[in-house]
Amino acid sequence: MAVYLVGADNKTLFKKRSTWNFKAALAAAKDGDTLEIEREFFVVFEKNEENIIIDKNITIQGQLAETKDGQIIPTIQGGLFVKNKAAVTLRNIGIRRQIAKSNCLNVSNGSSVVAENVVIENTATEGENYPIVYVKEQSKLELNKITIMPSSIRDGKHKIYVADSKMR
């Protein structure tokens, strides 16, 4: 089981890069591997607000930064879509979107997600909400120490939606 450290490009004229780009780490990862996001790192994709498809049995975890005011967790800017019977563990990360009509976490096709110490947020200020977390098609979701931030859009659709699946 490999661990891929995701973080800022730290190469210099005299030193190779010792961290991975998130997408490259995800592509290289095999079942059982871990993507570990560096302390205080913010994962942003070229195409802002991209949906990242995860169809492997992996762990995505962040390195916590402790401050006098609490913890700072690494954040992924975009939606995580877990599918094709993948088993994924999310630990010590934030998932943030900034667009209306989108899920932050989508679990489908018999997949399972265990999320621990995760902050989920959609910061869109206009438009319509979709469920912030959407679980369907015989999938499973386990939530431990989760914070779902309130939406600025007050349309009653900012929720967790579970259809033909299990959540605990």
Side-chain angles (χ1 to χ4, degrees), residues 115-154:
E116 182 176 331
N117 197 29
V118 174
V119 177
I120 303 173
E121 177 178 31
N122 190 329
T123 59
T125 57
E126 298 179 339
E128 179 183 348
N129 278 318
Y130 275 6
I132 195 160
V133 177
Y134 188 48
V135 186
K136 61 183 179 178
E137 301 166 345
Q138 303 292 315
S139 297
K140 296 176 186 169
L141 176 63
E142 181 179 332
L143 303 175
N144 302 302
K145 291 177 55 181
I146 301 300
T147 302
I148 296 181
M149 303 303 290
S151 174
S152 297
I153 303 170
R154 305 277 188 226

Side-chain angles (χ1 to χ4, degrees), residues 24 32 37-39 51 58 60 62 85 91 93 112 126-127 145 152 158 165:
I37 304 172
E38 278 190 316
R39 183 175 284 107
N51 291 327
I58 62 170
I60 300 172
K85 298 183 180 177
R91 186 179 302 119
I93 63 167
S112 64
E126 298 179 339
K145 291 177 55 181
S152 297
H158 185 75
S165 297

Side-chain angles (χ1 to χ4, degrees), residues 1 5 11 14 52 74 91 93 97 111 126 131 134 145:
M1 294 186 281
L5 182 62
K11 75 178 176 183
F14 304 104
I52 301 302
R91 186 179 302 119
I93 63 167
R97 303 216 68 176
S111 298
E126 298 179 339
Y134 188 48
K145 291 177 55 181

Side-chain angles (χ1 to χ4, degrees), residues 11-16:
K11 75 178 176 183
T12 67
L13 186 58
F14 304 104
K15 179 177 109 176
K16 285 183 174 180

Side-chain angles (χ1 to χ4, degrees), residues 9 21 37 66 69 102 120-121:
D9 185 348
N21 165 289
I37 304 172
E66 298 289 341
D69 298 322
S102 60
I120 303 173
E121 177 178 31

Side-chain angles (χ1 to χ4, degrees), residues 1-6 18 20 25 29 32-37 59 61 63:
M1 294 186 281
V3 175
Y4 297 87
L5 182 62
V6 174
S18 63
W20 287 75
D33 288 349
T34 298
L35 277 64
E36 186 165 330
I37 304 172
T59 296
Q61 66 186 19
Q63 297 176 346

Side-chain angles (χ1 to χ4, degrees), residues 60-75:
I60 300 172
Q61 66 186 19
Q63 297 176 346
L64 295 176
E66 298 289 341
T67 69
K68 66 178 181 159
D69 298 322
Q71 297 176 336
I72 299 173
I73 60 174
T75 300

Side-chain angles (χ1 to χ4, degrees), residues 103 105-107 130-137 141 148 157-167:
N103 310 124
L105 178 61
N106 185 303
V107 186
Y130 275 6
I132 195 160
V133 177
Y134 188 48
V135 186
K136 61 183 179 178
E137 301 166 345
L141 176 63
I148 296 181
K157 297 178 184 174
H158 185 75
K159 57 187 169 187
I160 296 175
Y161 181 81
V162 180
D164 194 28
S165 297
K166 295 180 181 178
M167 183 181 92

